[in-house]
């Protein structure tokens, strides 16, 4: 860890002030962040932003009651003594109106040593602007060779975050992480006259991006932009569909993060442990210790030491994700699953939200389906969906569905002509006997990929509904 | 991308009462308690001025409260006291920005020094393109009954009342009620002497009724919101909430929606999202300058039927996305994008306006002081037409009514859009039939425009509050609105 990592002590300073004023339980989560952004218009830098300094904290003021817990929460960017006092007073004022049915509330102590996990890109941490410039250069270099495509627009946003957690149980945690958001669109004008240019638009959220590997990825994006241009409408019907991990990353964490969590369990919306919701070969973990995953860290957002937990075994629900409050309400130990960031939309700061149960990084172990070519062979006839506009995952009903921005027909076991338009969707979870994505997984690819909150392979799904044109 | 429900139980809202809540505004100090920072801001601008032909500073502070109530838990959470500033300056390499949270003068001075380092010696930069804002103005939104006068106790009591109405419906075990108030204060100073202060208060209420049966979960939602106060919540009536809960229960037994190309009748929330996704994003002029809008070659041509007029209106009274000034200091305005079928205008920041030989339209917006400015929509609307809803229905032999729009996404380059609705109803021979579960409308915008057969009148017009991202980030409040709209489209699962 570099010298700069761990130098911020936001929550610890705030805790010092709270300690003098509170005898009831409390916790505070603080962040001190530097962010740098480069925005591109074609190959030109349209705007350079940074450093963007953000320092803030969120305080929970907790009152154990008979059969319930009052939890007031307030957050602020005001680090002055007056600001901390005001924020604490706001949390205290909110507490009588915030009631949670926890029989007990266990906050972590500082006794357990959290595990080590690699969450920092050291180049980015030590030389953020130079590293970002290098990434931009690596991203644009392939366009120096004539390949018929050009960069359309994009941005690279790097976040260097120092996080601190303290509570009334004596806990003091400090750690640091980096993350990189890449949004990049490639345009191709190759192909038929009269068609609009084809665009392939990539979104990535990672702990680090390897500039050496990005060049070969750009070549693939350029080819796909060309395919968009002459893609035809997809067929209609219930088809066997391959969803790559980038598409699944839009669907699985958003829905399973809620439906397999304590908030859903408390409200009778979680499949009870032992229920079969997935295909027999399907395993699913939540791994808070995956190196360089953007949601990894030595502890969760309440300070509980992180670990890897089983969510589905042979398609069967094992245990939910609990933060301290939901664990207390359901009579379970916390599972280090307190998250302060929304699941569906990436947020580069988290102090402004109270914790609730959620996943770190969902992990589907690779299967025996093999490479893309072998997956297509196994499917025989169907559709390979390269990219959706957005999958619009609905955490409550578990429905999802998106416009096909680019796909390919699978004909006779081979990946065929590109398709575009129409929608594909269905239910991620369903009652026994009804069709769902998880219960219809027929092949699991052998190569995993990390993006945002999912590390997993491509999945072949039997009988997904496609509405073509 | 537009979301009426960033998380579903936030709900969407439709309609605001009439009244000039944004309108002319009033003149009063917008940012209270920070007047002392303005001289510092001006000093910082003067320190930067030798290095740049133009610089500006935007200060933002937000606060408020969100109250959530359901059978399991209650939470009354103050919206984070979020404040800070961003400094932007023009350099030979384009715009350069630094930003910092808080109102600590030392942090502000450090940020200015960091900007100066990045600007270098300042030589060679000409003025940035476009006309800068000038002059002073100070505006605050108005409310009939400001949310500050509705204490948390009263908000909780109201939420419990809504919850009671929803759960009075057989089969509805739980419901999420949310009451939200937000205040956004911004001031903007520039080296060209612009001084703009604005304070905007938004209120929103919603309820999501939850139906669970044998492991199947369905819901429906209703909400109201806009600029104003607790008067906006008066439209959350028992009749509306009970109807929403009844529909949620009915969705449990709904059969799969039909798929394929068919006649579609868009409800006001869906028509508004169509305006946002079709001619909103594509008409953001930064996309046109990037050669990234399918609409670029179509400016000045007829793209739709006579009955179709699309508008972006940041000055709309009560609109969820209304503002007095944009984040370049320009006054917001009503901009007609499509006038009776003819594509006539785009939305411009100062740079795009200069490139296109037009004036800035007051659409430059930052999500907050941490986010960059983009050309963005405010309230994007389908203007009412001349038809009656019943008349549109009577034209449908076999189709679907798309209702309770949750979200949409655009493809400005390829000219496609997708709109997702939570529910719908089958229409046969002009009669509204059985309920249908969530669906997605998708297809090429220009094909959709050609298929439009009618737009209903003012009596059906409703506004909806939502949130819009530029891509998947930079999310800010935007309103949508419209009446019923009849067309042909591809419908699929969602």
């Amino acid at each position: 860890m570099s010298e700069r990592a761990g130098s911020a002590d936001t929550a610890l300073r705030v805790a010092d002030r709270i300690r003098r004023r509170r005898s009831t339980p409390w916790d505070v989560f603080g962040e001190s962040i530097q962010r740098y952004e480069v925005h591109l218009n074609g190959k030109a830098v349209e705007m350079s932003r940074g450093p963007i300094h953000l320092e803030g904290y969120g305080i929970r003021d907790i009152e154990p009651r008979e059969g319930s817990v009052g939890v007031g929460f307030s957050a602020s960017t005001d680090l002055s003594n007056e600001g901390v006092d005001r924020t604490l007073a706001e949390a205290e004022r909110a507490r009588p109106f915030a009631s949670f049915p926890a029989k007990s509330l266990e906050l972590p102590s500082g006794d357990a040593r959290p595990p080590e996990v690699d969450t920092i890109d050291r180049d980015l941490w030590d030389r953020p602007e130079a590293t970002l410039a290098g990434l931009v250069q690596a991203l644009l270099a392939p366009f120096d060779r004539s390949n018929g495509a050009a960069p359309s627009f994009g941005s690279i946003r790097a976040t260097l975050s120092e996080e601190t957690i303290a509570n009334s149980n004596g806990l003091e945690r400090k750690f640091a992480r980096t993350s990189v958001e890449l949004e990049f669109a490639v345009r191709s004008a190759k192909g038929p006259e009269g068609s609009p240019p084809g665009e392939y638009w990539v979104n990535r959220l990672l702990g680090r991006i390897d500039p050496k590997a990005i060049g070969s990825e750009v070549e693939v994006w350029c080819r796909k932009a060309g395919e968009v241009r002459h893609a035809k409408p997809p067929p209609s019907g219930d088809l066997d569909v391959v969803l790559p991990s980038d598409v699944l990353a839009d669907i699985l964490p958003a829905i399973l993060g809620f439906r397999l969590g304590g908030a859903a369990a408390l409200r009778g919306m979680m499949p009870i442990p032992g229920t079969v919701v997935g295909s027999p070969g399907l395993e699913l973990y939540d791994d808070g210790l995956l190196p360089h995953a953007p949601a990894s860290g030595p502890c969760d957002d309440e300070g509980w030491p992180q670990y890897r937990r089983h969510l589905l075994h042979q398609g069967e629900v094992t245990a939910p994700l609990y933060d301290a409050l939901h664990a207390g309400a359901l009579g379970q130990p916390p599972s280090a699953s307190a998250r302060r960031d929304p699941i569906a939309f990436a947020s580069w700061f988290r102090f402004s939200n109270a914790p609730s149960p959620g996943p770190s990084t969902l992990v589907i172990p690779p299967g025996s389906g093999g490479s893309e070519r072998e997956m297509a062979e196994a499917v025989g006839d169907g559709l390979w969906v390269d990219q959706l506009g957005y999958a619009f995952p609905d955490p409550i009903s578990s429905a999802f569905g998106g416009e096909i921005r680019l796909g390919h027909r699978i004909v006779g076991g081979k990946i065929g002509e590109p398709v575009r338009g129409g929608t594909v969707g269905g239910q991620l979870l369903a009652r026994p006997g009804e069709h769902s994505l998880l219960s219809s997984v027929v092949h699991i690819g052998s190569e995993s990929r990390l993006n945002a909150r999912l590390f997993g392979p491509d999945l072949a799904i039997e009988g997904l509904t496609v509405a073509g044109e | 991308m537009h979301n009426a429900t960033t998380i579903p139980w936030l709900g969407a809202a439709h309609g605001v009462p009439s009244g000039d809540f944004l309108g002319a505004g009033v003149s009063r100090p917008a940012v209270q308690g920070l007047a002392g920072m303005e001289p510092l801001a001006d000093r910082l601008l003067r320190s930067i001025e030798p290095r740049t032909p133009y610089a500006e500073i935007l200060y933002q502070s937000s606060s408020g409260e969100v109250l959530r109530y359901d059978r399991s838990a209650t939470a009354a959470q103050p919206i984070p006291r979020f404040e800070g500033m961003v400094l932007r300056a023009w350099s030979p390499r384009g715009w350069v920005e630094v930003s910092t949270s808080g109102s600590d003068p030392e942090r502000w001075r450090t940020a200015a020094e960091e900007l100066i380092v990045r600007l270098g010696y300042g030589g060679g930069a000409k003025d940035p393109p476009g006309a800068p804002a000038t002059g002073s103005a100070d505006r605050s939104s108005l409310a009939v009954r400001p949310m500050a006068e509705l204490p948390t106790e009263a908000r909780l009591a109201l939420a419990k009342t809504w919850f009671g109405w929803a759960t009075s419906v057989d089969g509805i075990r739980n419901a999420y009620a949310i009451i939200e108030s937000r205040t956004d204060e911004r001031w903007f100073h520039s080296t060209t002497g612009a001084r703009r202060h604005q304070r905007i208060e938004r209120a929103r209420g919603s309820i999501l009724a939850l139906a669970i049966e044998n492991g199947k979960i369905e819901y429906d939602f209703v909400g109201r919101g806009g600029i104003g106060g607790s008067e906006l919540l008066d439209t959350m009536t028992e009749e509306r909430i009970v109807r929403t809960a009844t529909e949620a229960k009915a969705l449990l037994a709904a059969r799969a929606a039909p798929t394929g190309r068919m006649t579609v009748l868009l409800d006001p929330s869906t028509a508004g999202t169509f305006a946002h996704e079709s001619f909103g994003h594509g008409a953001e002029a930064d996309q046109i300058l990037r050669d990234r809008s399918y609409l670029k070659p179509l400016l000045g041509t007829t793209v739709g039927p006579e009955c179709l007029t699309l508008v972006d209106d940041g000055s709309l009274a009560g609109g969820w996305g209304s503002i007095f000034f944009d984040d370049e200091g320009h006054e917001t305005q009503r901009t007609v994008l499509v006038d009776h079928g003819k594509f006539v205008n785009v939305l411009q920041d100062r740079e795009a306006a200069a490139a296109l030989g037009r004036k800035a339209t007051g659409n430059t917006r930052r999500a907050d002081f941490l986010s960059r400015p983009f050309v963005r929509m405010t309230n994007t609307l389908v203007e009412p037409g001349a038809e009656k809803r019943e008349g549109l229905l009577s034209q449908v032999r076999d189709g679907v009514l798309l209702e309770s729009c949750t979200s949409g996404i655009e493809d400005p380059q390829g000219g496609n859009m997708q709109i997702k609705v939570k529910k719908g109803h089958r229409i046969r021979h002009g009669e509204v039939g059985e309920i249908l579960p969530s669906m997605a409308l998708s297809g090429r915008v220009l094909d959709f425009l050609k298929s439009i057969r009618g737009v209903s009148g003012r009596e059906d017009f409703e506004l909806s509050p939502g949130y819009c991202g530029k891509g998947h980030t930079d999310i800010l409040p935007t309103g949508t609105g419209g009446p019923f709209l009849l067309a042909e489209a591809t419908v699929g699962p969602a």
Side-chain angles (χ1 to χ4, degrees):
Chain A
M1 190 176 285
S2 80
E3 193 180 329
R4 284 177 53 202
S7 62
D9 58 357
T10 311
L12 311 189
R13 278 186 285 147
V14 174
D16 197 40
R17 187 108 187 132
I18 299 173
R19 228 171 254 126
R20 296 180 218 162
R21 286 161 174 73
R22 280 289 175 281
S23 55
T24 48
W26 52 268
D27 68 3
V28 56
F29 179 91
E31 283 176 301
S32 177
I33 294 172
Q34 285 192 56
R35 185 167 160 99
Y36 299 86
E37 301 178 355
V38 176
H39 296 259
L40 298 168
N41 180 11
K43 292 181 76 171
V45 173
E46 182 180 69
M47 182 179 287
S48 300
R49 306 189 72 235
I52 300 164
H53 296 282
L54 174 62
E55 188 169 15
Y57 57 94
I59 299 172
R60 277 197 303 183
D61 186 27
I62 300 162
E63 179 187 34
R65 299 173 189 152
E66 187 67 35
S68 71
V69 174
V71 184
F73 176 80
S74 188
S76 176
T77 53
D78 188 345
L79 271 293
S80 68
N81 286 343
E82 298 75 23
V84 173
D85 290 349
R86 185 170 58 182
T87 307
L88 184 59
E90 284 177 346
E92 186 182 19
R93 193 185 68 77
R95 195 181 61 196
F97 304 106
S99 174
F100 197 84
K103 299 170 195 72
S104 62
L105 176 68
E106 186 185 358
L107 293 176
S109 70
D111 297 343
R113 184 181 168 81
E116 300 262 325
V117 53
D118 212 346
T119 56
I120 294 179
D121 177 333
R122 291 172 193 281
D123 288 340
L124 190 59
W125 191 274
D126 293 332
R127 297 176 292 111
E129 288 173 285
T131 305
L132 211 52
L135 279 174
V136 171
Q137 197 175 18
L139 199 59
L140 297 178
F143 297 101
D144 292 338
R145 302 182 288 277
S146 176
N147 55 18
S152 175
F153 76 101
S155 66
I156 305 183
R157 310 180 194 208
T159 302
L160 288 59
S161 172
E162 294 177 83
E163 299 168 17
T164 43
I165 310 172
N167 68 26
S168 54
N169 212 13
L171 176 93
E172 289 194 351
R173 294 251 191 267
K174 293 170 67 169
F175 61 98
R177 75 169 90 232
T178 56
S179 63
V180 184
E181 295 153 65
L182 169 67
E183 181 182 36
F184 192 61
V186 176
R187 178 168 47 213
S188 173
K190 280 203 313 190
E193 289 292 320
S195 296
E199 184 179 79
Y200 194 73
W201 184 0
V202 177
N203 282 280
R204 292 274 162 79
L205 169 61
L206 297 164
R208 64 178 178 182
I209 292 180
D210 180 2
K212 295 189 192 79
I214 209 164
S216 57
E217 286 217 77
V218 172
E219 303 277 1
V220 174
W221 303 339
C222 291
R223 175 174 56 76
K224 291 188 173 182
E227 290 175 338
V228 166
R229 194 143 193 259
H230 55 87
K232 294 176 178 163
S236 289
D238 292 342
L239 307 177
D240 292 350
V241 173
V242 179
L243 297 178
S245 61
D246 275 348
V247 171
L248 294 165
D250 265 352
I251 301 169
L252 268 56
I255 296 176
L256 296 179
F258 175 69
R259 290 293 295 275
L260 297 184
L266 186 67
R267 293 165 174 86
M269 297 160 74
M270 179 189 153
I272 55 173
T275 308
V276 175
V277 298
S279 298
L282 191 64
E283 301 288 325
L284 179 72
Y285 298 87
D286 176 40
D287 191 348
L289 298 174
L290 195 69
H292 296 295
S296 286
C299 57
D300 75 350
D301 289 347
E302 286 177 331
W304 293 99
Q306 268 293 1
Y307 62 102
R308 175 179 161 114
R309 52 196 77 73
H310 218 149
L311 297 179
L312 297 181
H313 175 54
Q314 294 293 312
E316 189 179 300
V317 175
T318 53
L321 305 163
Y322 291 123
D323 64 348
L325 273 176
H326 289 85
L330 295 161
Q332 300 290 328
S335 66
S337 303
R339 303 288 314 179
R340 294 176 187 259
D341 44 348
I343 301 167
F345 290 93
S347 176
W348 53 275
F349 57 90
R350 317 203 297 284
F351 70 90
S352 54
N353 297 314
S356 59
S360 299
T361 306
L362 295 183
V363 176
I364 299 175
S368 57
S371 63
E372 287 188 7
R373 183 179 56 78
E374 290 166 313
M375 289 281 278
E377 281 173 8
V379 166
D381 293 295
L383 190 67
W384 190 294
V385 176
D386 294 84
Q387 191 173 60
L388 298 179
Y390 183 55
F392 292 111
D394 183 333
I396 295 182
S397 70
S398 98
F400 68 93
E403 182 205 3
I404 300 168
R405 287 281 168 89
L406 179 65
H408 289 81
R409 281 178 184 261
I410 303 173
V411 181
K414 290 193 164 42
I415 295 177
E417 64 176 2
V419 298
R420 168 181 168 75
T423 59
V424 60
Q427 294 283 327
L428 183 67
L429 297 164
R431 294 180 289 196
E434 295 180 349
H435 185 273
S436 76
L437 187 157
L438 288 184
S439 65
S440 306
V441 176
V442 286
H443 304 289
I444 300 174
S446 301
E447 294 162 19
S448 284
R449 181 182 186 86
L450 173 66
N451 190 9
R453 295 277 187 90
L454 182 70
F455 181 54
D458 306 337
L459 300 180
I461 316 297
E462 193 174 37
L464 269 186
T465 302
V466 178
E469 292 179 345
Chain B
M1 181 165 66
H2 178 79
N3 271 281
T5 54
T6 46
I7 55 173
W9 49 90
L10 280 179
H14 311 284
V16 291
S18 59
D20 189 5
F21 300 123
L22 184 67
V26 293
S27 187
R28 72 177 188 207
V31 180
Q32 290 154 14
L34 276 157
M37 300 299 283
E38 293 187 65
L40 172 62
D42 290 334
R43 280 201 300 278
L44 296 180
L45 285 176
R46 281 198 295 277
S47 72
I48 296 163
E49 211 167 2
R51 313 295 184 106
T52 177
Y54 175 83
E56 65 191 26
I57 184 168
L58 176 80
Y59 164 83
Q60 184 216 359
S61 170
S62 60
S63 58
E65 183 182 82
V66 179
L67 185 135
R68 296 183 177 87
Y69 179 82
D70 80 318
R71 189 175 293 285
S72 297
T74 313
Q77 186 173 314
I79 288 172
R81 192 171 293 280
F82 204 65
E83 66 174 340
M85 68 86 167
V86 54
L87 274 164
R88 179 169 88 148
W90 183 252
S91 81
R93 303 178 308 282
W95 291 109
V96 182
E97 293 192 356
V98 298
S99 172
T100 186
S101 60
S103 55
D104 177 356
E106 197 51 47
R107 280 182 179 240
W108 286 34
R109 275 190 282 272
T110 303
E113 285 162 11
E114 284 167 331
L115 182 68
I116 287 168
V117 168
R118 282 157 182 82
L119 286 170
Y121 75 98
K126 297 174 183 168
D127 286 342
T134 56
S136 300
D138 189 342
R139 310 278 285 277
S140 291
S141 64
L142 298 175
V144 174
R145 301 199 307 270
M147 286 296 282
E149 295 171 7
L150 189 69
T152 307
E153 292 89 336
R155 297 182 193 201
L156 181 57
L158 188 57
K160 285 181 175 175
T161 300
W162 295 352
F163 174 89
W165 289 338
T167 54
S168 69
V169 173
D170 185 39
I172 301 300
R173 288 183 7 192
N174 199 359
Y176 295 93
I178 297 180
I179 295 174
E180 173 184 354
S181 59
R182 290 176 184 270
T183 302
D184 187 80
E185 304 184 44
R186 298 182 187 212
W187 51 250
F188 172 93
H189 289 199
S190 76
T191 51
T192 53
R195 297 168 74 89
R196 298 275 196 253
H197 297 191
Q198 63 181 325
R199 175 190 172 94
I200 294 175
E201 299 193 14
R202 295 181 170 91
R204 179 155 107 151
S206 63
I207 192 153
L208 182 148
L210 202 56
I212 306 177
E213 195 173 84
N214 298 327
K216 184 169 184 182
I217 304 173
E218 269 297 358
Y219 67 91
D220 195 11
F221 63 89
V222 62
R224 292 287 181 273
I227 286 179
S230 62
E231 68 278 0
L232 296 165
L233 308 178
D234 294 345
T235 52
M236 293 285 289
T237 61
E238 181 174 6
E239 186 266 332
R240 272 183 202 274
I241 290 173
V242 167
R243 191 172 63 219
T244 301
T246 305
E247 294 273 88
K249 166 75 174 162
L251 279 167
L252 283 175
R255 299 178 66 176
T259 60
R261 189 162 176 80
M262 64 189 73
T263 303
V264 291
L265 182 61
L266 279 54
D267 82 345
S269 72
T270 315
T273 305
F274 149 70
H276 180 101
E277 303 299 352
S278 61
F279 268 78
H281 284 295
E284 291 167 340
D286 54 346
Q287 308 283 26
I288 288 180
L289 294 189
R290 288 172 177 163
D291 208 12
R292 197 180 165 254
S293 172
Y294 73 101
L295 294 175
K296 184 177 178 179
L298 302 175
L299 191 58
T301 68
T302 296
V303 294
E306 171 74 17
C307 64
L308 185 70
T309 294
L310 303 175
V311 167
D312 182 86
D313 190 351
S315 63
L316 185 72
W320 177 254
S322 294
I323 47 178
F324 292 107
F325 315 105
D326 73 0
D327 291 328
E328 286 183 330
H330 291 108
E331 283 204 41
T332 191
Q333 65 178 54
R334 173 186 156 91
T335 305
V336 177
L337 302 172
V338 174
D339 188 3
H340 294 91
K342 187 175 179 184
F343 177 29
V344 291
N345 279 309
V346 295
L347 306 174
Q348 293 135 191
D349 60 4
R350 59 180 289 181
E351 278 185 84
L356 297 170
R358 295 171 177 231
K359 288 184 178 173
T361 55
N363 287 85
T364 307
R365 300 181 68 186
R366 295 178 189 265
D368 48 44
F369 68 90
L370 298 163
S371 305
R372 66 159 288 183
F374 282 110
V375 182
R376 305 296 294 269
M377 285 169 268
T378 55
N379 304 293
T380 314
L381 319 166
V382 177
E383 289 279 276
E387 307 253 12
K388 297 285 184 198
R389 175 180 178 272
E390 292 68 28
L392 296 177
L393 265 177
S394 70
Q395 297 178 44
V396 183
R397 191 173 61 84
D398 187 9
V400 293
L401 170 61
L402 302 175
E403 301 165 288
S404 295
C405 184
T406 63
S407 44
I409 192 165
E410 85 300 349
D411 174 8
Q413 181 80 72
N416 283 21
M417 65 175 175
Q418 183 192 340
I419 299 170
K420 177 173 177 173
V421 298
K422 183 66 196 82
K423 67 175 182 189
H425 283 83
R426 193 75 193 237
I427 307 173
R428 290 190 186 87
H429 304 293
E431 297 292 326
V432 176
E434 72 272 18
I435 197 165
L436 300 170
S438 59
M439 291 170 273
L441 174 161
S442 68
R444 280 172 50 82
V445 172
L446 295 178
D447 293 342
F448 184 84
L449 294 176
K450 282 179 198 159
S451 78
I452 292 174
R453 284 150 54 183
V455 178
S456 76
R458 188 160 297 279
E459 65 278 7
D460 294 321
F461 185 87
E462 289 186 352
L463 288 171
S464 301
Y467 289 91
C468 169
K470 191 94 167 180
H472 294 275
T473 57
D474 300 294
I475 292 164
L476 47 71
T478 50
T480 57
F484 288 90
L485 185 150
L486 183 66
E488 302 283 326
T490 299
V491 173

